[in-house]
Amino acid sequence: MHEAGVEHVTARYGARLVEKQRCGYLRPVVIHCDSPDRTLANTEFMFPFVSVVRCPQDEMLGRIGSTLVGSAISYDEKFQRELVDATHIDRLNLGPVPTIQSTGYSHTKET
């Protein structure tokens, strides 16, 4: 997270490990990368970690590689179709996804 162009966005909200009287929990980590060339832009971790990567739309599908879950907030119908058709995205979320519930925005692909 010390690479130039990478920001640990959630660091300002306190420690990752929060310990309470009877339990402890991890806060989610949000990383912002200014380019898909950053190391963390191409690293996939399980929750509680997410990376947000700035990338030109016309380069995106060629740059992301295989991924378990991809989320896109775009109203460009052509791009949405390209995302749905991409075989290297296992699960695709289109549009904003609430963090505590499942919505109709999710598209699970058949293999």
Side-chain angles (χ1 to χ4, degrees):
M1 286 193 247
H2 301 290
E3 182 179 13
V6 174
E7 179 186 2
H8 180 184
V9 179
T10 48
R12 69 189 109 186
Y13 297 102
R16 289 186 59 210
L17 175 61
V18 177
E19 295 185 87
K20 296 290 184 178
Q21 219 172 8
R22 303 171 99 182
C23 67
Y25 62 92
L26 290 175
R27 293 177 194 248
V29 173
V30 177
I31 301 297
H32 180 262
C33 300
D34 67 357
S35 162
D37 296 323
R38 306 292 172 233
T39 301
L40 284 176
N42 297 294
T43 306
E44 193 162 347
F45 298 104
M46 295 181 73
F47 177 85
F49 182 94
V50 63
S51 56
V52 177
V53 181
R54 182 175 301 275
C55 180
Q57 180 175 306
D58 61 340
E59 295 177 23
M60 194 167 298
L61 283 172
R63 303 280 314 243
I64 63 172
S66 294
T67 187
L68 296 173
V69 179
S71 298
I73 299 173
S74 174
Y75 300 102
D76 180 334
E77 291 182 14
K78 179 179 180 277
F79 184 57
Q80 287 179 348
R81 183 80 252 161
E82 291 171 354
L83 288 164
V84 169
D85 291 342
T87 58
H88 58 293
I89 302 173
D90 289 338
R91 177 175 161 210
L92 175 64
N93 298 310
L94 287 175
V97 179
T99 58
I100 59 170
Q101 65 184 5
S102 178
T103 69
Y105 292 109
S106 180
H107 176 79
T108 304
K109 295 181 176 199
E110 307 254 338
T111 55

